[in-house]
Amino acid sequence: MIKQKNKISKLEQERKKLFALLLSEDPLIEGCYSEILVKCGRSGCHCEKKPIHLVTRLGVREDGKIKNKVVRVADRENVKKLANRYREHKQALQELGQIDEKQREIFKDLIKHKNCGYT
C-alpha cells in the first residue's frame, strides 16, 4: 500500500510540472516547423544540379489538410521557438493522459487489495 501511495505522489508531482507548462502565459504558434533545401527554378543558378536554397515552413492543419506557410528569414528563430513550445504543449497533454491512465490502474489495484469479499 505504501508503494502505491509513493507512486501516486510521484505522478502528482509530474502532473504539477505539466500543469505549470500548460498554464504558462508564454505565447506559441500552432504548427510544425521544418527546414528544407529546394531548387529555385532560375536558369543558370547553381542549385540546378542540387537543391541548395534553405526554405523554412510552418505546416498547419486546416480543414483536415496540412497547409504549408513559408516563414520569412527574419522570423525563422522566433517561429521555430514558438512552434517548439507548441510541440512541448502537445507532448504535455499526451503525458497528462498517460499519468491519468497509470493512476487509474494503481487505484484499481488498491481497490482490489482492499476488497475483503463477502461469503
Side-chain angles (χ1 to χ4, degrees):
M1 180 107 125
I2 293 174
K3 285 184 180 181
Q4 281 93 352
K5 287 182 180 180
N6 288 339
K7 287 180 183 179
I8 293 291
S9 294
K10 287 180 183 178
L11 291 172
E12 283 302 312
Q13 289 173 355
E14 290 178 37
R15 181 190 302 279
K16 283 182 183 179
K17 289 179 187 176
L18 295 173
F19 278 179
L21 171 68
L22 292 168
L23 295 173
S24 69
E25 297 290 326
D26 298 332
L28 50 83
I29 292 179
E30 182 179 354
C32 180
Y33 179 87
S34 62
E35 297 176 345
I36 59 169
L37 296 175
V38 296
K39 296 179 184 181
C40 68
R42 288 183 297 156
S43 62
C45 183
H46 61 283
C47 72
E48 284 182 329
K49 297 177 185 170
K50 182 179 175 186
I52 197 158
H53 300 290
L54 181 67
V55 174
T56 53
R57 303 184 300 192
L58 186 67
V60 180
R61 188 172 295 278
E62 293 177 5
D63 301 325
K65 296 180 182 178
I66 295 177
K67 304 285 183 176
N68 286 306
K69 298 177 182 180
V70 176
V71 177
R72 292 184 295 266
V73 174
D75 297 336
R76 282 181 182 167
E77 287 304 312
N78 191 42
V79 170
K80 184 177 183 178
K81 181 178 82 171
L82 297 176
N84 284 340
R85 194 172 290 151
Y86 172 73
R87 188 170 23 124
E88 289 170 359
H89 278 66
K90 282 182 64 173
Q91 179 69 31
L93 282 175
Q94 187 176 19
E95 289 175 20
L96 202 55
Q98 292 170 351
I99 287 173
D100 289 343
E101 185 61 34
K102 288 177 186 176
Q103 282 184 331
R104 192 175 300 116
E105 291 301 316
I106 291 169
F107 286 129
K108 282 181 182 178
D109 192 43
L110 281 172
I111 291 169
K112 194 176 192 179
H113 282 64
K114 287 182 183 181
N115 182 12
C116 61
Y118 178 75
T119 54

